[in-house]
Amino acid sequence: MGRLKAYFESNDKRLIHKWDHYFEIYERHFQRFVNQKVNILEIGVQHGGSLQMWKNYFGEQATLYGIDIDPRCKCVEEDRIKIIIGDQGDRDFWRKIKPELPEFDIIIDDGGHLIHQQIITFEEMFPVLSNNGVFLVEDLHTNYWSEIGGGVHSNNFINYSKNIIDSLNGWHQQPQNIDLFTTSTWSICCYDSVLVFEKKPRSQPFHKMTGNPSF
């Protein structure tokens, strides 16, 4: 059992609500940040339990921010946890607060789970994520719910992300199509209900040969 799952199972602090398989995903992508000086943003605070979990997991050098539309969430602030009240689906909100925010190493979207919220949050915050940061969007099963405009062939975040795969391969397109994602996205990992985007500065890929021919 990983540290995050162990914390969750023994949690007697603020409420945490997570799908069980998420913990393995978190450990896989977040472990390299443990005990490092990092800034972490979680959209969707609810009762504040997951922010306490991140605080415990990442260690004393981590600073955490939470964003939620519910003003009651302000009550979960504590040392190294700051809460901002606002609507993640409002571009004006992001553009207003971004100058006041630090550069984040990890961004977790566990907010309203509506498609427009996920797309707007990603478009506003992925470009300002640190160069080696991780952007994780969870609970993407909602993208298939017809009652919120989702579906396999809808304009949901999952289909939106498929275009980013094309951008990641922009150097190989004919003609080339280079954009922000081509030069800054190292990987896109897809799991049940979760997408993880890892940033890393990239230059045009190249290949070469070594050794001696066999025939």
Side-chain angles (χ1 to χ4, degrees):
M1 183 184 296
R3 284 183 54 215
L4 284 169
K5 182 67 180 299
Y7 179 99
F8 177 80
E9 293 294 347
S10 62
N11 178 43
D12 60 358
K13 297 182 179 180
R14 295 188 183 277
L15 180 70
I16 308 171
H17 181 195
K18 294 290 183 184
W19 289 81
D20 187 71
H21 70 281
Y22 284 11
F23 293 100
E24 186 175 351
I25 300 169
Y26 295 148
E27 295 270 8
R28 179 177 183 180
H29 292 279
F30 294 163
Q31 189 173 32
R32 63 186 170 97
F33 296 98
V34 171
N35 295 325
Q36 302 297 312
K37 186 175 176 59
V38 291
N39 294 311
I40 299 160
L41 172 64
E42 182 170 46
I43 298 105
V45 173
Q46 201 180 38
H47 295 276
S50 60
L51 285 168
Q52 289 182 323
M53 179 178 70
W54 303 130
K55 180 179 174 179
N56 175 271
Y57 178 69
F58 288 107
E60 295 183 357
Q61 298 187 74
T63 303
L64 297 107
Y65 287 72
I67 289 177
D68 203 287
I69 199 169
D70 186 344
R72 295 177 297 177
C73 293
K74 263 291 187 181
C75 75
V76 309
E77 281 192 327
E78 58 183 68
D79 179 46
R80 292 190 289 117
I81 295 179
K82 179 179 176 60
I83 304 300
I84 301 169
I85 304 302
D87 180 1
Q88 72 171 121
D90 182 355
R91 290 190 189 274
D92 289 338
F93 163 72
W94 287 114
R95 291 167 185 174
K96 179 180 178 181
I97 68 165
K98 275 194 288 187
E100 304 168 7
L101 296 175
E103 182 179 65
F104 290 108
D105 303 286
I106 296 173
I107 297 176
I108 303 162
D109 186 351
D110 184 23
H113 310 319
L114 298 179
I115 293 165
H116 78 281
Q117 293 172 325
Q118 292 165 341
I119 292 174
I120 288 172
T121 299
F122 184 80
E123 289 181 346
E124 292 294 329
M125 295 304 293
F126 184 81
V128 298
L129 182 69
S130 69
N131 283 338
N132 292 287
V134 175
F135 196 113
L136 185 148
V137 187
E138 60 186 65
D139 293 345
L140 286 169
H141 51 273
T142 62
N143 278 214
Y144 298 105
W145 294 356
S146 58
E147 60 265 35
I148 65 166
V152 172
H153 302 296
S154 69
N155 293 321
N156 61 29
F157 186 84
I158 289 174
N159 286 326
Y160 171 89
S161 71
K162 293 173 185 177
N163 293 322
I164 301 174
I165 297 174
D166 291 331
S167 291
L168 190 152
N169 290 281
W171 275 296
H172 308 294
Q173 295 183 35
Q174 297 178 345
Q176 289 185 342
N177 184 22
I178 313 302
D179 62 15
L180 167 72
F181 299 110
T182 316
T183 58
S184 68
T185 305
W186 176 246
S187 70
I188 304 172
C189 298
C190 181
Y191 305 91
D192 182 330
S193 303
V194 174
L195 278 170
V196 183
F197 302 82
E198 293 186 312
K199 285 185 80 171
K200 181 179 177 180
R202 297 179 63 224
S203 54
Q204 183 165 355
F206 62 93
H207 59 89
K208 60 183 180 181
M209 298 182 186
T210 63
N212 302 305
S214 298
F215 52 86

